């Protein structure tokens, strides 16, 4: 619960200076669980951690929190790191990269947790609890029936040393619990300001003494989180606002250990467009979904900067490096924000334009070639279609007028760009219309006189040609479309010619004339 503050900015500056002192370099971590694919909320948390670290010359770590074995998904760890690399948020330390404070997977750090929990057992801050699952379940049902908090009654807290030793000797399973007392003093959140625990509703109070080591010997999220943040020298914890309720637990454990806690900053929630919470069950918010669609990584990161603020100015079209220079945790707002999917296509187009006009031009050309080859395969009858020169002209037109993703270049409406008309299509038309050869020759002569090969200029030439030849426009368009495209759908013929360019248009008209000539000779 946030307390009223007259000057949140002043308190932020004091705390931030404390956290970024020369004796305490900035070290932040992104700590997902390997329970499935990363969604946009997770990527936003990773992005803000990365931006905060890099804007303070600090380190960005990836730590995998896999202590819940029942939810662990095979291969998820590798996918998480792959996605971060794809997005450009490459960690300085991680399971793959290693580092001074590894291992970076919690299931590989069990001995560290056991050593640290023994410290708390010896100091009296923790105790062994031998209550069975059956007893805990009955307590929960009873509390629900009485409409009371379903918290543990701390029964084993006062167990005598002799009683405990007897249970251990009998090999009775147990968990280890932390002795929790409601926090009375406030703490500072770098986003929300001064916070205080609401003992009537907060998680820790409702739960009672909470488990830190489970009966299988694995730590709970809360305990491993605190131990790892301390031993990995994490200076700041930037995480979603849903974890704010757990902060009192963590601070009490730091106090019990006698450790200095990191500074906390809880990031407001990102919501769906309809105001509902993001869920891993939503396939359309998984980062892999956007990656597979062909979204540019910078565009997706850019999209996430449009919610919750945190930047010194507009971020549209900015690269990751530019976002680092613009980022300020002080400017992050406190309110949940809704995703606006309509912003993503124009942002992606903006980043495509920027890459194509800069040092990534050849990369865009090569990617386009791969997409076209993979999609059309044997239908590509001429390798000229895949030359850098032709691809560059098409991309230049497409990202200015038509597409927001390179994959959209395979849409049926512009398929004519890549697939030349078959001989059969031209011959079929010629059987019905004997004027084809004459008309195409006439159009070719007129097009030679066009100085700027634009839609408007070509349209005027074709209009004048119809008048001079006493041709109906529909008749002319049918002949030309058959010579230019295998498909009956697509833009206006004059626009098709502009898109194809003078060279490819003439090539196709010449091919049509050659087919007609060969057909006439074989009769």
């Amino acid at each position: 619960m946030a307390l009223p503050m007259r000057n949140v900015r002043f308190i932020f500056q004091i705390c931030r200076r404390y956290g970024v002192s020369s004796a305490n370099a900035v070290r932040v971590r992104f700590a997902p669980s390997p329970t499935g694919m990363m969604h946009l909320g997770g990527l936003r948390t990773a992005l803000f951690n990365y931006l905060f670290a890099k804007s303070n010359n600090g380190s960005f770590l990836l730590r995998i929190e896999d202590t819940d074995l029942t939810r662990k998904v095979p291969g998820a760890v590798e996918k998480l790191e792959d996605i971060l690399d794809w997005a450009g948020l490459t960690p300085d330390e991680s399971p793959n990269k290693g580092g001074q404070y590894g291992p970076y997977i919690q299931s590989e750090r069990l001995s560290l947790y056991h050593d640290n929990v023994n410290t708390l057992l010896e100091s009296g801050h923790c105790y062994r609890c031998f209550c069975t699952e059956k007893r805990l379940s009955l307590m929960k049902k009873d509390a629900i029936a009485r409409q009371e908090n379903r918290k543990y009654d701390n029964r084993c807290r006062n167990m005598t040393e002799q009683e405990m030793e007897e249970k251990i000797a009998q090999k009775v399973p147990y968990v280890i619990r932390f002795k929790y007392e409601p926090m009375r003093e406030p703490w500072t959140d770098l986003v929300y300001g001064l916070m205080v625990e609401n003992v009537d509703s907060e998680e820790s109070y409702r739960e009672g003494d909470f488990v830190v080591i489970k009966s299988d010997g694995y730590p709970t999220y809360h305990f491993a989180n605190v131990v790892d943040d301390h031993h990995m020298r994490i200076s700041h914890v930037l995480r979603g606002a849903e974890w704010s309720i757990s902060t009192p637990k963590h601070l009490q454990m730091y106090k019990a250990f006698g450790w200095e806690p990191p500074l906390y900053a809880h990031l407001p929630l990102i919501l769906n467009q309809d105001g509902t919470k993001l869920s891993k069950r939503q396939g359309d918010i998984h980062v892999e979904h956007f990656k597979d669609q062909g979204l540019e990584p910078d565009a997706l990161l850019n999209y996430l900067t449009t919610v919750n603020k945190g930047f010194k100015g507009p971020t549209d079209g900015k690269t990751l490096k530019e976002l680092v220079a613009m980022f300020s945790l002080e400017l992050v707002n406190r309110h949940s924000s809704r995703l606006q999917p309509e912003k993503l296509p124009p942002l992606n187009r903006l980043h495509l334009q920027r890459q194509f006009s800069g040092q990534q031009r050849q990369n865009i050309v090569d990617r386009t070639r791969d997409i076209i080859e993979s999609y059309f395969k044997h239908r590509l009858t001429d390798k000229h279609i895949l030359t850098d020169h032709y691809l560059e002209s098409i991309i230049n037109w497409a990202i200015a007028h038509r597409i927001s993703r390179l994959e959209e270049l395979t849409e049926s409406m512009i398929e004519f760009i890549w697939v030349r008309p078959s001989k059969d299509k031209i011959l079929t038309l010629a059987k019905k219309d004997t004027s084809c050869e004459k008309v195409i020759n006439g159009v070719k002569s007129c097009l030679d006189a066009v100085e700027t090969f634009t839609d408007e200029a070509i349209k005027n030439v074709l209009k004048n040609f119809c008048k001079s030849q006493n041709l109906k426009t529909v008749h002319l368009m049918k002949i030309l479309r058959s010579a230019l495209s295998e498909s009956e759908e697509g833009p206006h013929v004059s626009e098709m010619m502009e898109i194809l360019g003078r060279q490819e248009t003439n090539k196709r008209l010449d091919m049509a004339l050659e087919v007609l000539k060969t057909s006439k000779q074989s009769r």
Side-chain angles (χ1 to χ4, degrees):
M1 181 175 69
L3 292 176
M5 293 177 57
R6 290 187 177 183
N7 200 335
V8 175
R9 182 169 296 180
F10 175 69
I11 289 180
F12 173 89
Q13 290 170 342
I14 292 175
C15 295
R16 190 167 178 268
R17 280 201 297 271
Y18 171 78
V20 191
S21 68
S22 59
N24 189 15
V26 167
R27 287 176 59 81
V28 299
R29 65 359 182 232
F30 175 53
S33 298
T35 55
M37 291 186 284
M38 188 193 303
H39 67 46
L40 290 180
L43 185 62
R44 189 282 305 265
T45 299
L47 172 63
F48 277 37
N49 272 280
Y50 180 93
L51 294 176
F52 182 74
K54 299 308 173 183
S55 63
N56 287 289
N57 297 314
S59 299
F60 171 61
L61 287 65
L62 171 65
R63 184 176 74 217
I64 302 299
E65 301 195 337
D66 64 341
T67 57
D68 189 346
L69 298 179
T70 61
R71 299 177 62 220
K72 188 173 180 178
V73 175
V77 175
E78 293 75 18
K79 283 187 177 180
L80 284 167
E81 195 147 4
D82 287 345
I83 284 294
L84 289 180
D85 286 341
W86 170 79
L89 308 178
T90 303
D92 299 299
E93 302 167 32
S94 71
N96 280 347
K97 204 165 190 178
Q100 185 179 351
Y101 300 97
Y104 294 87
I105 298 178
Q106 288 186 335
S107 59
E108 298 175 9
R109 300 169 64 85
L110 296 183
S111 61
L112 177 67
Y113 307 131
H114 293 158
D115 290 344
N116 280 269
V117 82
N118 285 335
T119 299
L120 296 186
L121 285 169
E122 291 169 6
S123 66
H125 288 94
C126 281
Y127 62 90
R128 293 175 176 84
C129 172
F130 298 90
C131 292
T132 64
E133 287 294 330
K134 183 178 180 180
R135 179 178 185 272
L136 296 174
S137 178
L138 289 172
M139 279 181 56
K140 182 178 178 180
K141 289 179 181 178
D142 189 46
I144 292 173
R146 296 200 308 270
Q147 296 184 331
E148 296 177 353
N149 284 330
R150 294 169 283 172
K151 66 178 183 179
Y152 175 60
D153 61 2
N154 301 344
R155 175 178 178 177
C156 294
R157 183 194 271 217
N158 300 313
M159 183 179 287
T160 66
E161 192 73 23
Q162 182 180 349
E163 289 174 323
M164 184 184 66
E165 288 178 358
E166 288 175 356
K167 295 281 189 184
I168 292 175
Q170 295 167 10
K171 296 185 179 181
V172 177
Y174 64 86
V175 299
I176 299 177
R177 292 182 180 271
F178 182 85
K179 294 180 180 178
Y180 185 81
E181 299 294 339
M183 284 187 65
R184 300 300 176 185
E185 65 274 16
W187 67 93
T188 300
D189 186 295
L190 296 182
V191 172
Y192 288 90
L194 287 180
M195 304 287 289
V196 65
E197 182 179 21
N198 184 344
V199 297
D200 293 323
S201 62
E202 296 284 358
E203 170 187 293
S204 304
Y205 182 74
R206 292 200 312 269
E207 189 178 340
D209 291 347
F210 56 88
V211 175
V212 291
I213 299 291
K214 297 174 284 188
S215 59
D216 61 4
Y218 274 73
T220 59
Y221 159 78
H222 301 290
F223 186 70
N225 185 284
V226 167
V227 171
D228 285 341
D229 282 349
H230 172 74
H231 286 281
M232 291 181 175
R233 300 190 180 183
I234 299 301
S235 63
H236 297 73
V237 172
L238 279 66
R239 58 189 181 187
E242 67 271 23
W243 293 109
S244 178
I245 199 170
S246 300
T247 307
K249 284 182 178 181
H250 300 171
L251 291 175
Q252 283 217 13
M253 283 189 279
Y254 276 106
K255 185 176 180 181
F257 276 118
W259 297 338
E260 187 72 31
L263 298 176
Y264 288 93
H266 289 92
L267 307 172
L269 294 177
I270 296 179
L271 304 175
N272 288 307
Q273 196 171 24
D274 61 2
T276 57
K277 289 184 179 180
L278 303 185
S279 168
K280 285 189 176 182
R281 298 183 184 89
Q282 291 175 246
D284 61 349
I285 63 161
H286 291 155
V287 180
E288 284 197 38
H289 166 76
F290 296 100
K291 179 186 175 185
D292 293 344
Q293 278 194 329
L295 265 291
E296 302 304 306
D298 273 348
L300 190 58
L301 296 181
N302 211 169
Y303 178 50
L304 293 173
T305 66
T306 63
V307 295
N308 302 140
K309 310 301 180 183
F311 298 89
K312 305 165 189 172
T315 58
D316 287 9
K318 301 299 182 184
T319 63
L320 183 58
K321 186 177 180 180
E322 290 169 330
L323 292 177
V324 168
M326 296 175 65
F327 181 73
S328 173
L329 190 59
E330 182 182 350
L331 298 177
V332 175
N333 64 32
R334 301 181 179 190
H335 309 292
S336 299
S337 299
R338 300 187 184 197
L339 290 171
Q340 297 175 285
E342 69 276 6
K343 288 186 175 183
L344 194 49
L347 280 174
N348 205 65
R349 180 183 293 113
L350 201 57
H351 280 277
L352 277 176
Q353 290 169 344
R354 180 170 184 159
Q355 291 177 65
F356 188 66
S357 62
Q359 296 180 353
Q360 293 297 311
R361 186 182 188 90
Q362 189 59 48
N363 178 50
I364 296 295
V365 170
D366 291 342
R367 283 172 53 195
T368 301
R369 182 182 291 109
D370 290 343
I371 290 168
I372 299 305
E373 275 191 306
S374 174
Y375 187 85
F376 290 105
K377 297 176 182 175
H378 64 277
R379 297 179 67 195
L380 296 171
T381 55
D382 192 328
K383 289 299 180 182
H384 164 73
I385 295 294
L386 299 177
T387 61
D388 282 4
H389 177 73
Y390 185 69
L391 289 172
E392 284 181 358
S393 68
I394 296 301
I395 295 167
N396 192 52
W397 164 79
I399 59 177
H401 304 286
R402 181 83 188 192
I403 68 166
S404 60
R405 295 180 297 112
L406 293 179
E407 280 72 11
E408 291 171 358
L409 285 168
T410 61
E411 290 180 352
S412 60
M413 285 291 288
I414 54 175
E415 187 178 287
F416 69 91
I417 294 173
W418 317 109
V419 180
R420 287 172 174 168
S422 64
K423 295 179 181 180
D424 289 343
K425 183 175 183 185
I426 298 168
L427 290 174
T428 300
L429 180 65
K431 289 177 181 178
K432 298 178 182 177
D433 189 343
T434 56
S435 67
C436 285
E437 187 174 356
K438 179 183 175 183
V439 168
I440 293 174
N441 270 315
V443 168
K444 273 197 87 233
S445 298
C446 292
L447 290 177
D448 288 341
V450 176
E451 292 185 10
T452 55
F453 212 70
T454 62
D455 178 16
E456 194 62 33
I458 296 167
K459 194 177 288 181
N460 288 332
V461 165
L462 297 180
K463 183 178 179 181
N464 291 334
F465 179 77
C466 283
K467 286 182 179 178
S468 67
Q469 300 297 316
N470 197 26
L471 271 175
K472 289 185 177 180
T473 303
V474 175
H475 182 198
L476 175 64
M477 294 305 134
K478 189 170 184 179
I479 294 173
L480 292 179
R481 187 174 293 278
S482 296
L484 296 172
S485 173
E486 180 70 14
S487 175
E488 294 301 323
E489 60 180 347
H492 189 276
V493 166
S494 58
E495 186 182 359
M496 287 173 65
M497 289 181 172
E498 180 189 20
I499 295 167
L500 291 170
R502 189 189 299 273
Q503 183 179 350
E504 179 64 16
T505 297
N506 283 332
K507 175 81 171 176
R508 296 191 184 193
L509 293 178
D510 285 340
M511 288 174 64
L513 289 172
E514 183 63 29
V515 169
L516 293 171
K517 182 180 177 181
T518 303
S519 173
K520 189 186 294 183
Q521 291 173 350
S522 63
R523 288 174 193 165

